[in-house]
Amino acid sequence: MGTDGDPVAGVLEHAYRDEWSAVVATLARRLGDLQAAEDAAAEAFAAAARVWARDGTPPNPGGWLMTTAWRKAVDQLRGNRAIAVDPQQFPDTGAASGSEAPPVTVGGDDQLGLVFACCHPALALEVRVALTLRFVAGLTTRQIAAAFVLPEATLAQRLVRAKRKISESGIRFEVPGPDALAGRLDGVHAVVYLVFNEGYAASGGEQLIHADLCEEAIWLGRLLHRLLPEDTETAGLVALMLLHHSRAATRQDPDGGAVLLADQDRARWDAALIADGTAILDAAVARRRPGPYQIEAAIAALHAAADSFEATDWPQIAALYGTLARLSPSPVVEVNRAVAVGMADGPHAGLAILEPVLASGALTGYAPLHAAHADLLERAGLAAEASAAWARAERAMGNAALQRELHRRRAAAAESELGSRREEPRSFGMKIFPTGVETSGLGP
């Protein structure tokens, strides 16, 4: 939707960003039908493009859109002879001008209800992501398909099946009760963070970063934080994403190659995002309800605060990963902890933590495990073993930009001989994954 020289188009684009999910959410709750809500919302925005260009922008664009969408939904239901419409349930909202009838109002619970419906655990994870991006963030099917390197027809079919399952399974567009809220919110956080992860370091293809997906995830996180201001883990997630995204401009070279954390120009990190993320984190920590996202955000904040890679507070980062391992134990957390301890206490200390993970076989196809192992081996002076580990990491890596960096490291390790002079240690920066864990704390 272009805006150059067209003030109405600019207002409409802004309204779409601000109002799409609110309109769809309220219609979905009232109608119990996500497809009907989507259709009515789309018709309302199409009507706005015509009417606003002719009559000017209304004083309350959001109210105009909501009222218009509701009227179109009611008209559609009344025109469907197979549906008996209760006049009390679907009152006439009047004309869509915004002056003849008060607009249908939107509450925060409607948007939260839409988020929880899109992220319902009865749906497959990839379906939850697609639904959330389409109906909460307002991305088009084409945009979502392009972001995840899927055929548009495949993504469209996935959405159709998902909407049908929501209807057939009786999934309600409502906020879960207090007993279920915490568990369901964990699932919502996972979806938002997965979107961010895919933007931060794409799981496949040539491109390392999809900044638009990072920005959508941050927008979704801010929406959740606005609707759930007391939830400290929501705040921690927002802070974590902001702190990571503050490095976006420095994480690639002009050719699209990965730039390691140690080599990034810290003067180009986004100070405003760092300040925003740190402030949100500080407010969450002050509530004294610690959780994994807050701990990860604290680790990211320590990286952001360091004047250089060498000046990073590695002992504190290692301690935080130890806390995370106790609070949310997993093999991936142990990979993180091994790298951090290796930086704080030396490579042999890191290898001691990593060995049980390697022996378990739990992460055999996990590229960051092998990259962490290779880096620690290289720093410990075990060049031959490091070369083999770099090769395993390269084979397991799906992203082309990161694979090229792994190939470079493998070639360098292969040329090294035990006892030869090596470069100053540079921990290989990995992506962050939807488990909610930054895989090394040293990400590119």
Side-chain angles (χ1 to χ4, degrees):
M1 201 180 294
T3 62
D4 292 345
D6 187 348
V8 172
V11 172
L12 190 60
E13 184 169 328
H14 184 75
Y16 185 89
R17 184 56 163 163
D18 288 349
E19 307 295 344
W20 169 263
S21 71
V23 172
V24 171
T26 296
L27 293 177
R29 177 182 61 79
R30 291 190 168 206
L31 302 172
D33 186 331
L34 191 53
Q35 182 63 61
E38 178 186 16
D39 291 344
E43 286 191 47
F45 278 92
R50 296 190 303 270
V51 175
W52 296 3
R54 184 191 66 210
D55 301 338
T57 305
N60 179 5
W64 191 101
L65 288 162
M66 185 66 254
T67 299
T68 303
W70 177 241
R71 183 167 68 88
K72 290 184 177 296
V74 171
D75 289 346
Q76 178 62 35
L77 288 171
R78 285 176 171 155
N80 187 342
R81 295 170 185 252
I83 299 177
V85 180
D86 179 354
Q88 298 301 317
Q89 183 181 4
F90 302 110
D92 189 355
T93 58
S97 66
S99 59
E100 291 87 347
V104 179
T105 57
V106 180
D109 282 353
D110 284 347
Q111 285 183 287
L112 266 181
L114 177 63
V115 171
F116 280 107
C118 290
C119 296
H120 196 281
L123 303 168
L125 183 58
E126 66 271 14
V127 172
R128 292 180 236 168
V129 170
L131 284 169
T132 302
L133 288 174
R134 175 72 192 102
F135 297 107
V136 182
L139 269 64
T140 65
T141 302
R142 177 173 295 179
Q143 287 173 320
I144 301 167
F148 286 89
V149 197
L150 288 170
E152 187 176 349
T154 299
L155 197 281
Q157 291 171 0
R158 185 176 293 177
L159 287 169
V160 168
R161 289 194 297 268
K163 287 182 282 190
R164 185 183 304 126
K165 182 165 186 175
I166 286 174
S167 178
E168 293 173 351
S169 302
I171 294 173
R172 298 177 65 86
F173 299 90
E174 62 184 18
V175 180
D179 293 341
L181 181 60
R184 290 285 302 280
L185 188 55
D186 286 345
V188 173
H189 290 156
V191 167
V192 174
Y193 201 29
L194 190 151
V195 172
F196 183 83
N197 276 296
E198 188 61 28
Y200 187 86
S203 57
E206 293 290 327
Q207 194 170 339
L208 173 63
I209 300 170
H210 290 286
D212 53 345
L213 280 183
C214 291
E215 288 160 7
E216 291 299 334
I218 290 170
W219 183 88
L220 287 166
R222 287 190 186 277
L223 173 66
L224 282 176
H225 186 38
R226 187 171 75 246
L227 297 174
L228 295 168
E230 304 298 316
D231 186 74
T232 54
E233 276 295 83
T234 298
L237 174 58
V238 175
L240 175 62
M241 293 189 295
L242 290 171
L243 289 163
H244 282 320
H245 197 49
S246 70
R247 303 198 298 259
T250 66
R251 292 180 50 236
Q252 294 183 109
D253 62 27
D255 297 323
V259 179
L260 306 189
L261 180 61
D263 301 319
Q264 290 170 15
D265 180 359
R266 294 176 183 237
R268 295 175 57 213
W269 287 1
D270 192 319
L273 289 183
I274 292 172
D276 194 6
T278 303
I280 292 171
L281 175 63
D282 288 345
V285 170
R287 294 180 180 275
R288 299 187 180 278
R289 296 198 299 270
Y293 287 112
Q294 294 170 74
I295 294 171
E296 293 177 62
I299 292 167
L302 286 171
H303 285 296
D307 292 333
S308 67
F309 184 81
E310 293 73 20
T312 304
D313 190 346
W314 296 111
Q316 181 64 18
I317 289 175
L320 285 169
Y321 273 123
T323 301
L324 186 61
R326 292 189 294 274
L327 190 64
S328 183
S330 78
V332 175
V333 172
E334 287 302 285
V335 175
N336 284 289
R337 191 166 72 90
V339 174
V341 169
M343 294 301 298
D345 301 328
H348 291 286
L351 286 168
I353 294 171
L354 207 58
E355 285 303 329
V357 181
L358 291 161
S360 73
L363 299 176
T364 301
Y366 186 60
L369 165 65
H370 301 299
H373 189 209
D375 185 74
L376 289 165
L377 288 168
E378 189 172 288
R379 293 174 53 225
L382 303 172
E385 293 90 336
S387 180
W390 285 123
R392 289 192 291 273
E394 183 183 351
R395 287 194 298 270
M397 177 56 68
N399 180 273
L402 291 173
Q403 192 176 58
R404 288 193 296 272
E405 178 61 22
L406 287 165
H407 179 78
R408 185 188 69 78
R409 294 298 299 266
R410 178 176 68 83
E415 293 173 0
S416 298
E417 294 180 1
L418 288 177
S420 66
R421 181 178 180 273
R422 291 182 301 279
E423 294 180 0
E424 186 175 344
R426 286 282 196 264
S427 283
F428 180 73
M430 285 286 101
K431 71 179 284 185
I432 48 180
F433 284 79
T435 52
V437 175
E438 184 181 2
T439 316
S440 72
L442 319 174

